Amino acid sequence: MRVMHLFSSKTFAGLERHVEELAYAQTEKHDVQVIGPANFKERFRANYKVINTNQWRLSPILCFQIKKAIHDFQPDIIHSHAYKTTAIISKLKNKEFQHVATIHGTKKKTDAFEKAAFIFGASSKSLDNINKPQKEVLENWVDESRFYNFEKGSPQRYIYVGRLEPVKNPLRLLKAWKNINHKLDIYGDGSLKSKIIDFIKQNTLTDRVRLMGEEDDVKNIYANTSGVLISSDREGSPKVLFEALFCNIPVISTSVGIMPDLLPSACLSESNDESFKELLEFAIPKIDEIHESCTPLFNEAKTKYTLKNQNERVEEIYRTLLSNASR
């Protein structure tokens, strides 16, 4: 099977790691090519063809480059990620491939996705506006190879892992942290970094909040961690959720994306500042009890939500589409 993955992005975060890990897992049995921007080439282990997919999606140059890449590679499956590349593929005529698309968050505009032969959604909410039966929730996963020899250590801190962008709302977390006397380490980078630095200084949080920047070694991120905190306004199926559970670390989050489908109510708040603040003030003193209640989730993360298992689900859809097309 020849599989082509397409994505467009300016930062390497959850979606990009999702594509990287899935594409690499598929190289074990198939010919795989990833199409994406030049600045991510060195971070992908699968065959990677550089095309500036961050161009305007209606650019005739971009459309020509993608058509040529398809002609040269001759894929059986094209798997597009997020709206932009899905819209480009959906407009191609005389398709000699099967088109699979993934919605990584929640989208009001779904017309391009509905033209795909099959749609994966990061959560049930991702698929709410899809009016066709060829769809399925594909939860994120853990690439177990990244956690080889992982040692949890003794819990000493809480962590935030994600882009420092408005949709992730790290300032909501910092506002809630003003009255919490525990260490907080923030991993990530983004447009809110300077505002976060100012907030930490202005609210005398420098003794217990640290900005850690970006960290590629996930074992360093999750070591010595009491809990992972997610303060987002919107989410899909964040990788940090599954990695934390895989490491036996509870997750405390706003009730967005896939979170209410997995986490107990004691770990969830509404996506507003006051509700999240109340949740942290309730949950952190009871973190040992919450940890105990999450034991079934920890086990499920190790058995169900692995890259190997989730890739097998994806490849089964590929095979079904190709089999049906050949009849």
Side-chain angles (χ1 to χ4, degrees):
M1 192 188 311
R2 297 176 68 80
V3 182
M4 176 180 282
H5 290 271
L6 291 95
F7 76 103
S8 169
S9 179
K10 295 181 180 178
T11 59
F12 194 88
L15 182 153
E16 297 72 30
R17 276 186 57 196
H18 177 107
V19 178
E20 194 284 325
E21 292 172 358
L22 182 62
Y24 182 66
Q26 292 173 355
T27 62
E28 184 176 342
K29 298 178 182 178
H30 310 291
D31 292 329
V32 178
Q33 184 177 76
V34 180
I35 304 287
N39 52 320
F40 300 134
K41 180 177 173 63
E42 298 305 315
R43 305 188 78 156
F44 276 74
R45 293 167 287 179
N47 172 26
Y48 192 98
K49 181 176 178 61
V50 171
I51 292 179
N52 180 15
T53 50
N54 293 329
Q55 300 174 63
W56 179 42
R57 68 179 175 86
L58 298 180
S59 163
I61 295 174
L62 177 58
C63 292
F64 171 79
Q65 290 174 323
I66 289 178
K67 285 180 181 179
K68 186 176 186 307
I70 293 170
H71 177 269
D72 292 345
F73 187 68
Q74 293 291 304
D76 301 301
I77 298 286
I78 291 185
H79 193 151
S80 59
H81 298 267
Y83 185 85
K84 182 176 182 178
T85 56
T86 298
I88 293 170
I89 298 303
S90 70
K91 290 181 178 179
L92 297 181
K93 298 178 180 179
N94 303 318
K95 298 183 181 74
E96 296 183 0
F97 53 83
Q98 294 298 305
H99 181 197
V100 176
T102 296
I103 305 175
H104 287 266
T106 53
K107 300 290 181 184
K108 292 181 179 179
K109 192 174 182 180
T110 60
D111 56 312
F113 292 104
E114 301 220 11
K115 294 177 183 177
F118 196 91
I119 306 158
F120 288 114
S123 68
S124 57
K125 290 181 180 179
S126 300
L127 298 173
D128 278 350
N129 296 323
I130 299 297
N131 298 310
K132 63 184 295 181
Q134 295 81 12
K135 61 183 179 179
E136 184 176 302
V137 173
L138 179 70
E139 306 89 348
N140 221 320
W141 54 71
V142 177
D143 181 353
E144 296 167 282
S145 68
R146 294 181 182 270
F147 290 88
Y148 181 69
N149 284 339
F150 171 73
E151 294 183 7
K152 184 179 178 182
S154 58
Q156 300 171 359
R157 62 186 182 141
Y158 290 82
I159 63 171
Y160 166 98
V161 185
R163 292 180 291 122
L164 306 183
E165 298 294 342
V167 70
K168 302 293 185 180
N169 212 333
L171 286 168
R172 170 179 290 149
L173 170 57
L174 288 173
K175 291 172 188 175
W177 210 254
K178 288 193 289 185
N179 297 320
I180 295 176
N181 191 27
H182 288 274
K183 299 291 185 183
L184 170 64
D185 287 344
I186 296 176
Y187 289 92
D189 202 353
S191 64
L192 292 178
K193 182 176 180 179
S194 60
K195 286 187 177 180
I196 289 171
I197 291 172
D198 290 343
F199 188 94
I200 291 171
K201 291 178 180 177
Q202 291 165 6
N203 291 274
T204 61
L205 292 171
T206 52
D207 61 328
R208 58 187 190 276
V209 178
R210 298 187 299 178
L211 290 184
M212 309 299 286
E214 294 184 330
E215 171 62 67
D216 289 332
D217 191 339
V218 291
K219 291 182 290 186
N220 292 337
I221 293 174
Y222 296 105
N224 305 314
T225 296
S226 300
V228 168
L229 310 175
I230 298 174
S231 49
S232 303
D233 290 329
R234 297 194 310 276
E235 279 289 354
S237 179
K239 187 166 285 292
V240 61
L241 167 67
F242 296 93
E243 290 179 341
L245 297 176
F246 182 84
C247 296
N248 291 356
I249 299 170
V251 177
I252 301 170
S253 175
T254 47
S255 184
V256 292
I258 202 169
M259 259 64 90
D261 297 337
L262 290 180
L263 296 178
S265 59
C267 295
L268 295 169
S269 80
E270 296 177 19
S271 54
N272 63 66
D273 292 1
E274 185 60 28
S275 179
F276 190 67
K277 174 177 175 289
E278 290 175 358
L279 172 64
L280 293 189
E281 291 175 352
F282 163 81
I284 286 178
K286 298 178 179 291
I287 198 65
D288 290 338
E289 295 174 33
I290 289 174
H291 185 283
E292 186 68 25
S293 71
C294 288
T295 299
L297 277 177
F298 299 154
N299 295 332
E300 195 171 30
K302 294 176 180 64
T303 55
K304 180 178 179 181
Y305 301 119
T306 63
L307 173 58
K308 181 177 183 294
N309 288 347
Q310 299 296 69
N311 178 50
E312 286 176 355
R313 289 177 57 196
V314 173
E315 290 189 7
E316 181 59 32
I317 294 297
Y318 292 173
R319 287 190 291 269
T320 300
L321 291 174
L322 293 175
S323 175
N324 291 342
S326 66
R327 292 175 183 172

